Amino acid sequence: MNKNKKDLLQSASAKKGKADEVCMNRRRFLSKTGTYAVAASAVVLGGGLFAPDSYAAKKIGEKANTTLLKMARDIYPHDTLEDKYYTQVLTPMIQAAATDDKKLSELADGAKSLDQIASQQFGVSYIDIKSEKDRVSVLKQIESSPFFQNIKGALMMGIYNNPDLWPRFGYGGSAWEKGGYINRGYNDIDWI
Amino acid sequence: MSTKFDLNDDSLVVIIGSGAGGGTLANELAQKGIRSVVLEAGKRFKMDDIENDEWKMFGKISWLDKRYVVGPARIAKDFPNLPAWIVKGVGGATMHWAGVAMRFQEHEFKMKTTNGTVPGANVLDWPVTLKEMEPYYEKAEKKMGVCGTKATGMPFHGESSHYKVVKEGANRIGAKCEQATLAINTETRDGRPSCQVNGFCMQGCRIGAKWSTMYTEIPKAEATGKTEVRPQSMVLRIEHDKTGKVTGVLYADKDGNQHLQKARVVAVAGNSIESPRMLLNSASSMFPDGLANSSGQVGQNYMTHTTGGVYAEFEKPVHMYKSTVVPGIVHEWKNNDPSRGHVAGYELEILHLGLPFMSAFLNPGKGGWGRELADSLANYDKMAGFWICGEDMPVESNNITLHPTEKDQYGLPVPVVYKTDHINDTHMRNHAYDRSKELFDAVGALKVNNLPPYPASHNMGTNRMSEHARDGVVNRWGQAHDIDNLFVSDGSQFTTSGTENPTLTIVALAIRQADYIADQMKKKAI
């Protein structure tokens, strides 16, 4: 896992500028006021989002690790996508929160509020609600909060605007440098 | 390229905006030897700046200055600060447009005569007819290189897989579907290459196969030595003398320094939010309601087309992105047939989005998440779809006003855009959703998704043309009723919207207007 951590850190920091720019675009487009700089890395440890002994983990509470990941998978559920694609979006947000009290409380309080609603309505914490439908009903209640919308917005960019994932969605991405599609399947269809 | 005019030169035409209207006007005037300065708010981009990347290009070229959308329509909730999806840069929205170039139909120039009074709408006939416009449409099609027309003789692009799916559905329900007449080269023409089908028409054409003033009209105008383009020049106000004639334009350069460019004639072409905003911002003691606004119509009758999206999911792949963005059009309902339950017509424009934009538009706004959406996006490669584009009703209360207190980075009041449906628009959109579902069901759709309108790229009507000064802002030449040497040269002069995409008509009007301005200057009438 430590090896994994190093690789991810390197590749993520190489992409920092691009990710910042893309995230900025999305924010301006959707007119969100929250500002999570998508920076640094994706540190994946033990199925959670960040190292349990990290400063962020201590401040936010270890439970948020798994709560936020579950929430991310419920927002854009693609069962065949590995956790890393979700954690790559969340980890930088949490790392940024480690040095920004406002962001930290947004995440920590957000995760806490999920558990509060879950325990009131289902008697268990959010991650222990078995049915997706019930978890969605909890998320619906905080849907318009900056906490939820900032995570949703970051995930939209991290999943659907992620060139690494485009082949899995059957999307081609940039085409001009390959000569476009005029000779690469422009009119190929076999079922019409 | 290096022509520089003096700020005190009062013999110039000052054109505000460099898109379809302003860019075309500058070149048409330049070819006649008439000198102009083009003030463009945005930067000058290079071809290398154009990438096949939806979000990157959105961030790079869009007009993102602060604006408000208000009103009960969903767009005010989904996109509260982005009423319009247009471009801030040399070339304006011709960088972003998909290239669809269709002429208005005859009846669309006389909607009042055709339908009489439409309650709750401010419908008016254009003071121009199709017959008068035809020679200019022909010139515009030649200039822009519109494929599939007699004017150019260029063939269509050929049927993409996306087109074939829709064509088959249209055939099965007896609806007429044709390849789109696009201002995109299908042969090498006018120094520009043939389309290689990158599928990113709306992010700026990386190879220049699609017409944009950025690399056609503007450099051609500059090559004459008669035109100076000043990018990053934001107009603050248009000045006038005590006789009421306009005399110059005050603007801020990229460093915020203000300059006053004197002018013999001023032509406003900043798109339908900025153009009326400039006239309103130029209010004076002589014109307390803004320039050219004796009718009270400046900023009113804001139209965007009646729009929406429809994306169907199929069992097998379509790969709609391997196509020109708009490969074809279902024309069946473009006529004016009130028996459908609405006046005016609409087109179903086959149009693809990439996966990144599809994720943002399939169910925009705060509630766009969850398994249903994710499952549809997982079917991205099996999707085919439309953008609905129909005539929308001019409604006086759909308008552009100035925020009473809030200012933007230039110190100008932030524009507030109010836009909501007329009942005719709602009926038309619902008709289009229903026919689209029939069409897609006929070819085996597993699911059909209806998308609400997204930020408008077609913006019209806020300085409209009218025969009588009391009904509109400009006359049949785009000349202000109130001020002889002030012109409007963009889509804001549209009296009604038609169902067709506006660019071809904007260009045809600009060519025609250039003839008129040259004539009037020669006669010393202006």
Side-chain angles (χ1 to χ4, degrees), chain A residues 25 29 31 75 77-79 132 143 148-149 152 156-157 161 170-176 180-182 186-187 191, chain B residues 52 55 58-59 81 157-159 161 164 196-198 200 206 317 321-322 356 359 361 365-366 368-371 374:
Chain A
N25 296 347
F29 192 76
S31 309
I75 290 176
H78 292 286
D79 299 340
E132 179 180 316
E143 178 185 273
F148 182 91
Q149 289 297 325
K152 169 186 170 290
M156 185 197 281
M157 298 307 285
N161 197 41
Y171 176 56
S174 184
W176 70 270
Y181 292 105
I182 194 156
Y186 168 64
N187 52 8
W191 57 273
Chain B
N52 287 178
W55 284 119
F58 177 84
N81 298 116
H157 283 75
E159 301 187 354
S161 58
K164 287 178 183 177
Q196 63 176 28
V197 195
N198 295 324
F200 286 86
R206 182 65 172 75
Y321 61 89
K322 298 182 181 179
S359 72
F361 294 125
K366 291 183 172 175
W369 58 278
R371 188 163 289 274

Side-chain angles (χ1 to χ4, degrees), chain B residues 26-296:
Chain B
N27 187 29
E28 288 290 310
L29 292 176
Q31 301 301 328
K32 298 173 197 294
I34 296 173
R35 295 169 308 140
S36 70
V37 167
V38 178
L39 300 175
E40 166 54 55
K43 284 187 242 178
R44 190 191 286 262
F45 293 99
K46 299 186 293 290
M47 295 307 275
D48 284 353
D49 293 323
I50 298 175
E51 299 175 76
N52 287 178
D53 185 308
E54 291 182 316
W55 284 119
K56 263 197 193 164
M57 290 311 292
F58 177 84
K60 210 184 270 192
I61 67 176
S62 299
W63 189 289
L64 297 172
D65 292 358
K66 185 81 176 274
R67 289 168 169 170
Y68 286 105
V69 194
V70 295
R74 179 172 166 179
I75 191 167
K77 286 190 194 69
D78 290 348
F79 306 99
N81 298 116
L82 194 77
W85 186 347
I86 54 174
V87 173
K88 190 174 191 178
V90 173
T94 64
M95 283 186 83
H96 168 72
W97 79 311
V100 180
M102 293 185 286
R103 299 182 183 192
F104 268 38
Q105 303 162 73
E106 191 174 5
H107 74 268
E108 289 172 330
F109 287 101
K110 40 187 186 185
M111 289 303 282
K112 179 136 194 210
T113 302
T114 302
N115 294 304
T117 299
V118 178
N122 198 13
V123 181
L124 199 65
D125 289 352
W126 288 60
V128 185
T129 64
L130 177 62
K131 201 166 163 47
E132 287 173 80
M133 288 299 294
E134 270 168 350
Y136 295 98
Y137 274 134
E138 173 104 4
K139 285 182 185 177
E141 287 164 355
K142 279 205 174 106
K143 173 193 284 291
M144 300 159 82
V146 182
C147 71
T149 61
K150 274 190 204 148
T152 65
M154 269 197 298
F156 284 115
H157 283 75
E159 301 187 354
S160 66
S161 58
H162 193 197
Y163 177 80
K164 287 178 183 177
V165 172
V166 174
K167 174 84 184 293
E168 181 61 24
N171 283 348
R172 291 185 190 178
I173 65 164
K176 186 174 159 197
C177 177
E178 287 175 346
Q179 289 190 56
T181 47
L182 303 173
I184 301 177
N185 280 352
T186 53
E187 294 168 347
T188 302
R189 186 180 186 279
D190 197 27
R192 293 183 288 117
S194 180
C195 174
Q196 63 176 28
V197 195
N198 295 324
F200 286 86
C201 308
M202 287 161 66
Q203 281 64 49
C205 181
R206 182 65 172 75
I207 65 169
K210 180 190 79 176
W211 181 84
S212 167
T213 55
M214 172 190 163
Y215 40 75
T216 59
E217 307 308 307
I218 293 291
K220 283 180 184 180
E222 288 174 320
T224 65
K226 304 289 183 188
T227 305
E228 181 191 348
V229 178
R230 294 183 197 155
Q232 293 179 283
S233 300
M234 181 70 184
V235 169
L236 306 173
R237 59 185 286 126
I238 300 165
E239 306 263 339
H240 65 82
D241 63 18
K242 58 187 176 196
T243 70
K245 275 172 47 173
V246 293
T247 53
V249 178
L250 183 70
Y251 67 95
D253 66 20
K254 64 177 163 44
D255 302 316
N257 299 316
Q258 296 190 5
H259 308 277
L260 177 65
Q261 175 62 58
K262 291 196 173 163
R264 177 174 171 184
V265 172
V266 173
V268 178
N271 212 310
S272 288
I273 297 176
E274 291 306 311
S275 287
R277 183 186 183 214
M278 279 181 244
L279 299 181
L280 296 172
N281 276 333
S282 303
S284 63
S285 55
M286 189 171 180
F287 300 116
D289 298 322
L291 291 188
N293 198 18
S294 64
S295 63

Side-chain angles (χ1 to χ4, degrees), chain B residues 449-466:
Chain B
N449 303 281
N450 289 347
L451 284 59
Y454 43 77
S457 296
H458 300 176
N459 299 277
M460 298 158 286
T462 48
N463 293 308
R464 73 177 183 178
M465 250 188 209
S466 63

